[in-house]
Amino acid sequence: NPGEKISDPRFGVGIRQYLFENFSSEITNDITIAISIQISNYMSYINLVNLDVVSNQDENILTIALSFNYNNSNVLEMITLNLDLNSGIVLQQSNY
């Protein structure tokens, strides 16, 4: 969350602020933009290929899927996070 890193209070996406929101395409778009900005600001050494933020309102789960490569590499990396918004716990994390 922004503010948790004392040396840089702007560091972080702030997923927790969306914890009790009713998810809509606007909210998932806001999260996508926040993640993209943070990657651009703090991880400029990677090239973001694809970023999907999808909500499952029935189960209150938010899925964030990123695919990227390092600037000097053609190897595609993928990370998928499934977040339980009731508990704030990462249910599943997959790295490819």
Side-chain angles (χ1 to χ4, degrees), residues 15 23 28 31-32 35 51-56 60-66 79-85 91-92:
I15 294 292
F23 280 97
T28 55
I31 295 170
T32 301
I35 292 170
L51 172 58
D52 290 318
V53 178
V54 179
S55 66
N56 180 335
N60 211 22
I61 293 174
L62 182 69
T63 300
I64 301 170
L66 298 117
I79 298 173
T80 302
L81 299 170
N82 292 309
L83 307 170
D84 181 340
L85 299 175
L91 297 174
Q92 177 184 3

Side-chain angles (χ1 to χ4, degrees), residues 1 12-40 48 50-57 60-66 81 83 85:
N1 277 330
V13 173
I15 294 292
R16 285 187 203 154
Q17 72 182 344
Y18 300 103
L19 187 61
F20 298 106
E21 295 288 335
N22 290 323
F23 280 97
S24 64
S25 60
E26 183 178 316
I27 297 290
T28 55
N29 188 50
D30 289 349
I31 295 170
T32 301
I33 290 169
I35 292 170
S36 297
I37 289 170
Q38 291 294 343
I39 288 173
S40 175
L48 187 60
N50 191 37
L51 172 58
D52 290 318
V53 178
V54 179
S55 66
N56 180 335
Q57 292 181 349
N60 211 22
I61 293 174
L62 182 69
T63 300
I64 301 170
L66 298 117
L81 299 170
L83 307 170
L85 299 175

Side-chain angles (χ1 to χ4, degrees), residues 65-80:
L66 298 117
S67 58
F68 62 93
N69 59 20
Y70 295 97
N71 287 337
N72 298 326
S73 171
N74 291 328
V75 177
L76 187 65
E77 307 268 346
M78 292 187 285
I79 298 173
T80 302

